[in-house]
Amino acid sequence: MNFYRLSKKKLFLNVSLVVFVAFFFVITNISAKLIKHEGKVTFLPNRKILKSLIKDIEDAKNSIYIAMYMFKTDDYKFNYSTLIEEAIFDALKKGVKVYAVFDIGKNDDITTRFNKDTGEELRKKGAIVWYDSPERKLHAKVVVIDNKIVYLGSHNYTHSAMKYNYETSVRIESSEMAQEVIKYIRGIR
């Protein structure tokens, strides 16, 4: 009889746990208010992002929004991140509005220095540039082009990230997603 009672108690506890976990997941998903968007998604691992991103920047007609943890450029012509910067400069010459927010730290660390250098170069060419609060870390790596194309992933805009690192990003064609990401970028302070 004790064994039977023990088994019933275990069964009751296991069923109760399953019900609680199921209830928890239902409630958290309802309260999360997830927003789903339809769109065309292209997976861009490692170097595959570069050609696609530069082409989309070159084809831009209206606007480019950037939120980037690290954007490191230099004068070396074949530095992959410098190629991205040059495409942005060309877009600015065509009248495309460029908005960029970069991470800035409390101290003059290497990321802060690179971002300030790139930010100043973009600002001189006509981009609107600002930085996040030193109290928070902007770790996003996202670009929105013409309110319809979103690049989102792990790539910082550095030569190493584009050429040597294992990185993953996606290109998403979705006006709805683009609007949501732009709102997010504009809110970074």
Side-chain angles (χ1 to χ4, degrees):
M1 197 81 161
N2 277 343
F3 175 75
Y4 178 72
R5 224 179 241 169
L6 185 61
S7 294
K8 273 179 103 173
K9 190 173 184 179
K10 269 187 167 179
L11 178 62
F12 176 75
L13 289 173
N14 285 337
V15 169
S16 297
L17 180 63
V18 168
V19 169
F20 173 76
V21 169
F23 180 74
F24 175 77
F25 280 114
V26 169
I27 294 301
T28 55
N29 282 326
I30 289 171
S31 65
K33 297 179 186 170
L34 299 176
I35 301 170
K36 294 183 180 182
H37 301 289
E38 294 292 323
K40 179 182 174 191
V41 179
T42 305
F43 179 56
L44 300 167
N46 306 324
R47 291 189 212 178
K48 292 195 179 199
I49 189 176
L50 190 64
K51 187 175 181 181
S52 177
L53 177 64
I54 289 175
K55 181 177 180 346
D56 283 336
I57 291 170
E58 290 173 344
D59 293 345
K61 306 259 185 285
N62 302 310
S63 64
I64 300 171
Y65 286 84
I66 303 166
M68 191 62 50
Y69 173 66
M70 182 188 282
F71 196 153
K72 178 186 178 230
T73 60
D74 59 31
D75 293 332
Y76 178 58
K77 192 101 174 131
F78 298 104
N79 177 321
Y80 288 174
S81 57
T82 301
L83 296 174
I84 296 168
E85 181 186 50
E86 289 175 2
I88 294 169
F89 290 164
D90 290 343
L92 283 161
K93 285 180 198 170
K94 293 187 317 185
V96 174
K97 302 285 186 204
V98 175
Y99 307 88
V101 57
F102 300 114
D103 182 69
I104 193 166
K106 289 181 183 179
N107 303 319
D108 193 28
D109 63 6
I110 195 162
T111 302
T112 297
R113 282 182 275 154
F114 291 144
N115 287 343
K116 282 183 176 179
D117 289 346
T118 302
E120 191 55 36
E121 289 176 28
L122 289 171
R123 188 177 279 135
K124 284 179 185 175
K125 300 287 184 171
I128 296 169
V129 177
W130 71 99
Y131 301 92
D132 71 336
S133 167
E135 304 302 317
R136 294 186 69 175
K137 183 161 295 295
L138 166 61
H139 205 251
K141 293 107 177 166
V142 63
V143 174
V144 180
I145 300 169
D146 284 343
N147 302 313
K148 64 183 175 190
I149 298 170
V150 178
Y151 282 85
L152 177 67
S154 69
H155 288 87
N156 281 303
Y157 288 1
T158 67
H159 187 72
S160 293
M162 297 291 168
K163 187 169 184 177
Y164 302 113
N165 296 357
Y166 285 108
E167 304 279 358
T168 57
S169 290
V170 292
R171 178 186 186 273
I172 305 164
E173 290 181 53
S174 168
S175 297
E176 295 83 17
M177 171 75 84
Q179 292 306 313
E180 196 171 333
V181 175
I182 289 169
K183 183 178 175 185
Y184 169 78
I185 291 171
R186 286 179 173 256
I188 297 171
R189 298 282 176 231

